[in-house]
Amino acid sequence: TTCQFFVMLLDCFIRNLRRINREIVYHYTSSFHCQAPCIQSIRMASLTPSDVQAENDGTVVKTEKQLKKEAKKQDKLEKFKKKQEAKASGQEEPKVEKKQKVKEIVKYTIPTPAGEKKDVECAMPSAYSPQYVEAAWYSWWEKEGFFKPEYGRKSAYEDNPRGKFMMVIPPPNVTGSCHLGHALFNSIQDAITRWHRMKGRTTLWNPGCDHAGIATQVVVEKRLKREKGLSRHDLGREKFIEEVWKWKNEKGDRIYHQLKIMGSSYDWDRACFTMDPKMCKAVTEAFVRLHEEGDIYRSNRLVNWSCTLKSAISDMEVNKEEIPGRKFLKVPGYQKEVEFGVLVSFAYKIEGSDDEIVVATTRIETMLGDTGIAVHPEDERYKRFVGRHALHPFCDRKLPIVADDFVERDFGTGAVKITPAHDFNDYDCGKRNNLLFIGIITDDGIIANTSTGFDGMKRFDARPAVLDALKEKGLYRGTKENPMIVPICSRSKDIVEPLIKPQWYVGCGEMASNAIKVVKSGELKIIPKLHEKTWFNWLENIRDWCISRQLWWGHRIPAYKVSVSDPLVVLPGEDEEGRWIVARTEEEALEKAAKKFNTDKSKIRLDQDEDVLDTWFSSALFPFSIFGWPDKTEDLECFYPGNLLETGHDILFFWVARMIFFGQRLMGKLPFTEVYLHSLVRDAHGRKMSKSLGNVIDPLDVIYGVTLEGLYKMLVEANLDPKEIERAKAGQRADYPNGIPECGTDALRFALCAYTAQGRDINLDVKRIVGYRNFCNKIWNATRFAFSAFGDGFTPNATSEETGKETVIDKWILSRCSFAVDESNRGFEEYEFQAATTAIYNFWLYELCDVYLESIKPIIYGEDEEKKTTARNVLYMCIENGLKILSPFMPYLTEELFQRLPPRPTKERSAASITVASFPEKLPWRNEDIEVDIKLVQDVVRTLRSAKQDYLPPKVRPEVFISCSTAEVEDLLKLYESIIATLSSVQKVSIGVKLAVPEGCTMQTVGNKCQVYILLKGLVDVPREVERIEERIKKLKTQIDKLISSMNIPDYEKKVPVEVRDANSNKKEEFEVEIANLQRALTGFKALK
């Protein structure tokens, strides 16, 4: 039976193969060793009668292809046989490892002390090298003071008719190192700053760093544990703070170093750290003033609590993970994974009856703290229960059943258990209905205060225990999967627990209202405008801001709890605000306390609040605290308010809104008038950057390059779970099989700005950055050609005015240069960086390099000196202005080339550095009529190049015929006949109206203006080319069919990783484009037959 089944399958297989190629079948079956009749009959079925006759005669005629294949196979067998014999005799030659060709990296090796100007008299390397170009410039920029607002003037505070520009850095965490998100904001902000500086404005971009309370404390605690086996409690607060400062002084400048490598033009002498003395003074003053004005108060409320950190955390530090249903998650402190994403239903018995009310919850352990049940007032199912009580099954507690319209009737059972002390919605419901607030979870996540056998259990250990107990009592009613959002602490990875804590709060209502007004009035401009809707929605529904953090590192709250040893003084309760004194110093607090409680200072004891302020509190003061506020300094008067804040839209509320709050409240002015919100950086597949995905890239790895092994090493150092490491490695192998090549700072900066389109996230593909590195090489080579074309002793004209001797192509390139300048200025003015980079890229690559340089080569290498001089000066004007408009994006490359440009014999080129050179204003060279004419010439050249690529081998120069639709088109194209021939690399161009064209030409149309004919006769073997193209199309279609088949498998979207799906889609698209191009060529060749 097995044999019969095999024969049936084989028969089916052979017959299908036969449809494809009879020769394949014959040779496949010829290799069968089995002589069974069934096998031989299948084999014979593949043969034609002539094949059978030939085989019977023993004279099978084999094709040339078959003979080559057999010879190749025999050759391999002979080599293998010799190898085996050598191995057996011990004479095997040792393997010679193939050496990979490593491209030599050209470096700048001339000794140049830090701060001294780089030597630009030496010869330029033959190709662009980022490491060569970027060497030595930054320290010189710094020493010369180009980044300071004082540069070029007596004082930063003097009036400047060109205006002033001031912007602060979004201060990065002191614990951090740059990732591509930092690289994005840094590239955009530096480009903006450099543009303003080159416009002649008094410019300040103020750097700084955030103390990052939670993140820094966690890092130092881990270090203490690892190196000394100690906790912060073993050291005590004072000693621990010393350890933090020690770590900060050792490691905290890393991110500054990275920012400098990226060419950031900060005034580093004004750098601020949010724990600097002047910043601490500002924080204390702000807290005291806001408390005195009633904006800061103390209250016992629900907060986001991390049981691992034992601290409240901000909304910013809560990651909300969406899960579609049942899922087990790792939680710190638990050996087993904890179940989430299920809805458990259980019953509460109604007091005085046999009735019950069924509730549903995703956190069954919190039922130990239930103090009520809520139903919708219009829900007919439960109206009879409202006003009655349910009985808690595990303790002597009665739960009032209340009507509240926050209940969703269609969710769960329509009845909601209320745990006011452990749920934000329940908290509000409990307040509205005067329910009890019973805290059942301690600071470190232990069940307590329930008077049940569950006390002392960890909260998630109590989860299954409570469920089992409900089952024992017959109250369990079922479990079903339920989509939910799990709040996870971004710092500790713990599940956030809502707990009631006495904390300090900022009342945000009035400040939020004012922040809404300034946007609606246009006083504050948010760019892109689409973020305004989110701004209004968030501020209209804002909660008061909890600013207490249970940490040691940070700004300690300037509030003192009062104790009095005078029996005549009656003090408020421990947690009541009246018990606290807010003051700038302990001495001031003592004075205030004595006055408030009408007692002698000697009878008062003050205990300063152990908590510190939320890091965002000090960050909200950053735009004016950096200038010495509350002191009235010259810097504060000169640079506050600033012009612009540039940051990511993800911190619009956590930072931007709060700066608006405090700026208006404490300074009476907005801290800036414009907010530009850049997009988030994602990977090439559109995924968020995540260490566990292996797609978080250090900008320095893009700048200097990194091997795949180097990327692996960083994963190991990232403290990931072993499973996550393997997953991340797989992602890196897929995206960077050969690592990341060296791209350089300029290419990275330009790519990030070029990606920036308002309102869209950035799917960053490293391959595109590599493309911009090639663009840098193109600029380098174009400028080298220019220097060669200038020759020795060249001095450009004194001004950049036209001489009147310019040719049409000269006027065209100057017009395009003028357009690029206009677009660059508009791009910066309107924050359309993609428009600016596109104009610059097109000017350098497609207009200057592809057209103008090629068109003037015959002049440069010719004998007409007057034409040479004109061409050289036009080329000089293009290079000079092209470098200036490129400089804000590519500071290193443009400085290197700018310093090598021959100076004009006037003060026009008096700038010591391109950093402080004047940015081009509107140039007078724009000529749109010439641009329209040259556009047709470019279209003709593009068509010819494309056709040559389709039909001819490289370097073949065919004869071309252009048949024009009108005499006007003929006259126009004849003006540029030599340029068309030069740019298209053709032998001869004939132009006319209804031109007679010889046989053997392929034809392409250029709109309705003309037809372009290329003479192919005698240059190619037409039948052979047709056969080659048809064979290639056939192969491509087969590959497309395979891809479509693999993409049509069930659950393709779920089963196949996103990077594989993207690769398949890209391959399919590439194959389809190639087929379209081949089909076009095939049609042309067939027309020649």
Side-chain angles (χ1 to χ4, degrees):
T1 304
T2 305
C3 185
Q4 288 174 347
F5 178 67
F6 166 72
V7 169
M8 286 170 65
L9 281 177
L10 193 59
D11 184 38
C12 180
F13 173 61
I14 296 296
R15 289 180 191 281
N16 276 296
L17 275 177
R18 184 180 177 186
R19 293 193 194 104
I20 301 168
N21 191 318
R22 183 179 54 80
E23 288 181 4
I24 293 174
V25 177
Y26 178 82
H27 285 281
Y28 181 76
T29 53
S30 295
S31 65
F32 291 168
H33 295 291
C34 178
Q35 297 299 315
C38 59
I39 297 296
Q40 291 306 310
S41 64
I42 291 169
R43 177 169 176 267
M44 295 306 291
S46 70
L47 306 180
T48 63
S50 59
D51 291 331
V52 175
Q53 182 62 45
E55 188 172 77
N56 290 336
D57 296 342
T59 58
V60 177
V61 179
K62 297 182 179 179
T63 65
E64 184 182 353
K65 190 175 180 181
Q66 291 166 356
L67 291 169
K68 282 182 179 179
K69 189 175 180 181
E70 286 186 5
K72 194 174 181 181
K73 187 176 179 182
Q74 186 61 36
D75 187 46
K76 282 184 178 179
L77 286 171
E78 289 295 329
K79 285 182 179 177
F80 178 73
K81 188 177 178 182
K82 287 180 180 178
K83 192 175 180 180
Q84 292 298 103
E85 287 173 356
K87 194 174 182 180
S89 61
Q91 297 176 355
E92 187 181 15
E93 293 183 9
K95 283 186 178 180
V96 179
E97 289 189 14
K98 290 183 179 179
K99 291 185 178 179
Q100 288 188 341
K101 289 184 179 179
V102 179
K103 194 174 181 180
E104 185 182 356
I105 296 174
V106 180
K107 295 183 180 181
Y108 176 76
T109 55
I110 299 172
T112 305
E116 295 300 309
K117 188 174 179 181
K118 186 176 181 178
D119 185 349
V120 289
E121 299 298 322
C122 58
M124 292 172 68
S126 58
Y128 168 71
S129 166
Q131 289 193 40
Y132 180 92
V133 167
E134 294 169 19
W137 287 121
Y138 197 89
S139 62
W140 178 66
W141 290 334
E142 271 196 282
K143 184 182 176 184
E144 293 297 312
F146 297 140
F147 303 158
K148 301 182 74 61
E150 295 87 353
Y151 182 81
R153 49 188 59 86
K154 294 177 182 177
S155 165
Y157 314 123
E158 70 181 29
D159 288 337
N160 183 344
R162 288 182 172 270
K164 200 179 297 179
F165 176 78
M166 188 272 160
M167 177 172 61
V168 297
I169 186 178
N173 287 351
V174 69
T175 56
S177 59
C178 277
H179 51 66
L180 285 175
H182 290 114
L184 173 66
F185 87 66
N186 193 76
S187 300
I188 293 171
Q189 289 176 26
D190 193 43
I192 293 169
T193 303
R194 285 175 178 273
W195 177 73
H196 280 285
R197 188 181 290 117
M198 292 176 75
K199 283 289 185 179
R201 298 179 182 122
T202 303
T203 303
L204 172 61
W205 183 23
N206 210 107
C209 201
D210 192 275
H211 65 277
I214 292 177
T216 306
Q217 182 159 313
V218 168
V219 166
V220 177
E221 282 193 86
K222 284 182 177 178
R223 175 176 168 172
L224 269 177
K225 195 71 177 173
R226 182 176 63 252
E227 294 180 0
K228 300 181 180 179
L230 298 174
S231 72
R232 63 184 165 109
H233 298 285
D234 295 329
L235 284 182
R237 185 170 193 143
E238 193 174 323
K239 290 289 184 184
F240 178 74
I241 297 300
E242 288 177 9
E243 286 292 324
V244 179
W245 276 107
K246 182 181 174 184
W247 176 89
K248 189 268 176 189
N249 293 331
E250 288 176 6
K251 308 285 187 181
D253 289 339
R254 184 186 176 197
I255 201 159
Y256 282 176
H257 172 68
Q258 290 174 307
L259 293 175
K260 287 181 179 183
I261 288 173
M262 290 203 64
S264 312
S265 58
Y266 296 104
D267 180 358
W268 290 107
D269 290 340
R270 284 182 166 88
C272 294
F273 178 50
T274 51
M275 290 293 288
D276 286 344
K278 72 173 182 179
M279 307 293 273
C280 293
K281 180 181 178 180
V283 169
T284 300
E285 183 66 25
F287 190 96
V288 173
R289 286 195 193 183
L290 291 170
H291 182 263
E292 289 173 349
E293 292 170 10
D295 293 313
I296 287 181
Y297 62 93
R298 188 173 175 83
S299 180
N300 208 25
R301 292 187 180 181
L302 210 57
V303 297
N304 295 315
W305 187 266
S306 168
C307 295
T308 299
L309 298 174
K310 296 183 182 62
S311 174
I313 58 174
S314 70
D315 291 339
M316 180 70 175
E317 289 150 340
V318 178
N319 294 333
K320 296 178 179 179
E321 183 175 334
E322 294 185 30
I323 57 175
R326 178 181 277 110
K327 186 175 183 179
F328 289 86
L329 301 176
K330 284 192 172 183
V331 180
Y334 293 84
Q335 289 187 341
K336 291 183 179 179
E337 292 183 333
V338 179
E339 183 184 40
F340 293 89
V342 293
L343 194 64
V344 178
S345 299
F346 68 96
Y348 275 117
K349 294 295 182 182
I350 304 299
E351 183 185 31
S353 74
D354 293 330
D355 290 330
E356 66 179 30
I357 187 166
V358 178
V359 296
T361 179
T362 56
R363 299 197 301 155
I364 190 66
E365 70 280 3
T366 62
M367 65 85 61
L368 298 170
D370 286 356
T371 60
I373 296 171
V375 298
H376 195 279
E378 296 176 7
D379 195 330
E380 295 294 336
R381 295 172 294 175
Y382 301 118
K383 276 188 175 181
R384 62 195 175 97
F385 293 140
V386 174
R388 299 174 68 182
H389 290 81
L391 300 174
H392 201 288
F394 302 130
C395 61
D396 185 18
R397 191 187 309 152
K398 293 179 182 180
L399 282 58
I401 301 171
V402 300
D404 196 304
D405 58 10
F406 97 98
V407 177
E408 295 179 29
R409 284 177 281 183
D410 298 331
F411 180 76
T413 64
V416 179
K417 57 183 281 303
I418 305 299
T419 321
H422 295 287
D423 183 276
F424 286 100
N425 290 324
D426 292 3
Y427 178 89
D428 294 334
C429 179
K431 285 285 187 184
R432 285 192 298 270
N433 295 283
N434 296 315
L435 300 178
L436 288 173
F437 283 68
I438 301 175
I440 60 155
I441 299 175
T442 65
D443 292 357
D444 47 1
I446 304 298
I447 302 295
N449 199 31
T450 69
S451 302
T452 69
F454 304 105
D455 284 354
M457 286 186 177
K458 289 183 178 180
R459 53 184 171 147
F460 293 124
D461 288 341
R463 180 171 288 187
V466 169
L467 189 60
D468 290 341
L470 287 170
K471 288 177 181 178
E472 287 177 15
K473 288 183 175 288
L475 298 174
Y476 172 70
R477 295 292 179 266
T479 300
K480 65 178 182 180
E481 291 200 32
N482 178 66
M484 67 179 291
I485 295 173
V486 181
I488 299 174
C489 174
S490 63
R491 305 295 180 186
S492 65
K493 308 306 177 189
D494 194 6
I495 306 299
V496 174
E497 191 66 54
L499 296 184
I500 290 180
K501 290 286 177 184
Q503 308 276 276
W504 293 95
Y505 288 85
V506 174
C508 296
E510 186 183 343
M511 288 189 277
S513 178
N514 291 334
I516 290 171
K517 286 177 186 174
V518 292
V519 173
K520 286 187 174 179
S521 68
E523 193 179 344
L524 177 66
K525 195 174 177 183
I526 296 177
I527 307 163
K529 197 175 176 66
L530 61 90
H531 291 295
E532 284 185 6
K533 184 179 178 182
T534 317
W535 176 266
F536 297 139
N537 183 58
W538 187 78
L539 291 177
E540 285 164 0
N541 297 282
I542 195 169
R543 293 173 181 262
D544 286 353
W545 172 20
C546 173
I547 53 175
S548 298
R549 295 292 178 268
Q550 289 63 48
L551 304 170
W552 287 356
W553 172 244
H555 297 280
R556 194 165 175 183
I557 294 174
Y560 302 82
K561 187 167 70 173
V562 178
S563 300
V564 180
S565 59
D566 186 342
L568 298 176
V569 176
V570 179
L571 294 172
E574 285 282 326
D575 293 329
E576 291 183 33
E577 187 174 353
R579 184 74 175 267
W580 293 79
I581 296 293
V582 171
R584 294 167 181 82
T585 63
E586 188 170 349
E587 182 58 36
E588 183 183 314
L590 195 58
E591 292 280 353
K592 285 185 173 182
K595 186 176 179 181
K596 179 175 181 178
F597 295 109
N598 194 25
T599 188
D600 191 83
K601 290 182 188 178
S602 62
K603 296 180 180 181
I604 297 172
R605 192 186 84 212
L606 297 177
D607 294 302
Q608 188 175 356
D609 196 328
E610 293 286 326
D611 294 348
V612 299
L613 287 164
D614 180 9
T615 300
W616 294 105
F617 189 92
S618 53
S619 297
L621 302 170
F622 199 74
F624 48 93
S625 61
I626 59 173
F627 298 127
W629 182 87
D631 297 333
K632 292 182 178 179
T633 66
E634 283 187 300
D635 269 8
L636 184 64
E637 187 178 344
C638 181
F639 296 117
Y640 186 89
N643 305 77
L644 170 72
L645 178 80
E646 195 285 334
T647 190
H649 63 73
D650 54 328
I651 56 171
L652 180 61
F653 312 117
F654 301 107
W655 188 42
V656 181
R658 288 163 178 169
M659 283 190 286
I660 299 296
F661 290 177
F662 287 0
Q664 288 185 299
R665 203 63 156 184
L666 296 169
M667 298 294 294
K669 297 177 184 177
L670 289 171
F672 30 77
T673 54
E674 290 184 316
V675 177
Y676 175 75
L677 301 169
H678 65 245
S679 304
L680 297 182
V681 182
R682 299 175 181 270
D683 69 7
H685 312 293
R687 301 173 303 180
K688 282 187 176 181
M689 296 293 187
S690 165
K691 288 180 182 178
S692 61
L693 291 174
N695 60 2
V696 173
I697 302 299
D698 185 334
L700 299 191
D701 289 335
V702 179
I703 291 169
Y704 298 124
V706 65
T707 63
L708 183 60
E709 289 70 26
L711 291 171
Y712 287 167
K713 185 181 178 184
M714 282 182 281
L715 289 177
V716 174
E717 293 171 354
N719 200 27
L720 293 174
D721 181 88
K723 289 182 181 177
E724 288 184 327
I725 289 177
E726 290 309 311
R727 179 187 177 197
K729 282 184 176 180
Q732 289 178 340
R733 276 194 301 274
D735 287 344
Y736 315 112
N738 300 312
I740 298 173
E742 177 197 41
C743 296
T745 298
D746 289 322
L748 175 61
R749 287 170 54 116
F750 193 87
L752 289 167
C753 292
Y755 260 114
T756 304
Q758 290 185 12
R760 295 210 310 258
D761 283 352
I762 296 168
N763 293 353
L764 183 64
D765 189 345
V766 172
K767 291 176 185 174
R768 188 164 169 184
I769 303 174
V770 175
Y772 286 122
R773 189 222 188 269
N774 297 334
F775 174 52
C776 292
N777 192 57
K778 195 81 172 177
I779 294 167
W780 182 266
N781 288 334
T783 311
R784 281 184 72 236
F785 169 79
F787 293 156
S788 171
F790 295 157
D792 295 334
F794 169 73
T795 301
N797 292 340
T799 68
S800 56
E801 294 176 2
E802 292 178 272
T803 63
K805 298 177 182 179
E806 289 80 11
T807 64
V808 175
I809 201 70
D810 291 334
K811 291 178 180 179
W812 171 78
I813 194 63
L814 290 175
S815 179
R816 296 310 297 162
C817 182
S818 180
F819 172 78
V821 167
D822 291 346
E823 279 295 282
S824 297
N825 279 310
R826 185 185 71 81
F828 279 111
E829 287 161 4
E830 299 177 8
Y831 305 108
E832 293 283 358
F833 304 107
Q834 195 175 55
T837 54
T838 299
I840 293 167
Y841 185 86
N842 289 344
F843 171 71
W844 274 97
L845 191 63
Y846 300 127
E847 293 159 1
L848 185 65
C849 293
D850 283 4
V851 178
Y852 187 70
L853 294 187
E854 295 301 321
S855 68
I856 65 168
K857 281 179 180 178
I859 296 172
I860 296 299
Y861 299 136
E863 302 298 328
D864 191 325
E865 291 302 320
E866 186 175 77
K867 285 184 178 180
K868 279 186 185 182
T869 301
T870 301
R872 284 167 178 162
N873 275 288
V874 169
L875 180 56
Y876 184 93
M877 288 190 280
C878 290
I879 296 290
E880 181 185 45
N881 287 288
L883 290 175
K884 285 181 178 180
I885 61 177
L886 180 61
S887 182
F889 301 110
M890 293 187 172
Y892 290 111
L893 175 61
T894 53
E895 186 71 88
E896 181 79 28
L897 298 176
F898 180 81
Q899 293 293 342
R900 293 173 182 269
L901 269 180
R904 290 188 185 276
T906 63
K907 290 183 179 180
E908 188 171 331
R909 159 75 194 284
S910 60
S913 163
I914 198 169
T915 302
V916 290
S918 59
F919 198 90
E921 302 291 345
K922 193 170 184 67
L923 299 176
W925 306 326
R926 193 77 198 278
N927 188 325
E928 294 186 44
D929 292 336
I930 288 178
E931 288 186 18
V932 170
D933 292 347
I934 298 294
K935 173 69 167 58
L936 177 59
V937 173
Q938 286 180 292
D939 289 343
V940 169
V941 169
R942 199 176 295 114
T943 302
L944 284 169
R945 285 177 171 178
S946 176
K948 282 179 62 187
Q949 190 175 4
D950 285 342
Y951 298 112
L952 294 170
K955 297 185 180 180
V956 172
R957 299 168 65 88
E959 191 173 346
V960 169
F961 303 86
I962 302 175
S963 179
C964 304
S965 57
T966 65
E968 288 80 6
V969 174
E970 177 188 12
D971 292 342
L972 173 64
L973 292 181
K974 279 188 174 179
L975 282 174
Y976 301 101
E977 185 177 322
S978 61
I979 290 175
I980 291 171
T982 299
L983 297 181
S984 305
S985 295
V986 297
Q987 180 183 345
K988 180 184 176 185
V989 179
S990 300
I991 301 171
V993 177
K994 296 181 181 178
L995 197 68
V997 178
E999 292 183 0
C1001 288
T1002 181
M1003 186 273 285
Q1004 306 284 329
T1005 61
V1006 182
N1008 61 353
K1009 302 290 185 182
C1010 59
Q1011 293 84 42
V1012 175
Y1013 297 85
I1014 298 179
L1015 184 61
L1016 299 179
K1017 192 173 182 180
L1019 298 177
V1020 292
D1021 184 339
V1022 175
R1024 186 176 177 182
E1025 286 299 308
V1026 168
E1027 182 183 357
R1028 179 184 66 79
I1029 292 171
E1030 286 178 339
E1031 185 65 30
R1032 178 62 182 161
I1033 291 172
K1034 185 178 176 182
K1035 286 182 179 178
L1036 288 170
K1037 285 182 176 178
T1038 302
Q1039 287 174 299
I1040 287 175
D1041 289 341
K1042 287 180 180 178
L1043 280 172
I1044 291 172
S1045 177
S1046 68
M1047 293 163 75
N1048 287 338
I1049 63 170
D1051 296 326
Y1052 175 74
E1053 297 291 328
K1054 293 180 181 178
K1055 292 179 179 178
V1056 180
V1058 63
E1059 54 268 21
V1060 177
R1061 298 201 306 269
D1062 288 346
N1064 287 343
S1065 298
N1066 291 338
K1067 279 182 189 175
K1068 182 172 174 289
E1069 187 177 339
E1070 287 171 11
F1071 292 157
E1072 288 169 343
V1073 169
E1074 187 177 351
I1075 286 175
N1077 293 336
L1078 290 169
Q1079 290 284 15
R1080 187 175 67 249
L1082 187 63
T1083 302
F1085 276 122
K1086 285 183 175 179
L1088 297 177
K1089 288 185 175 182

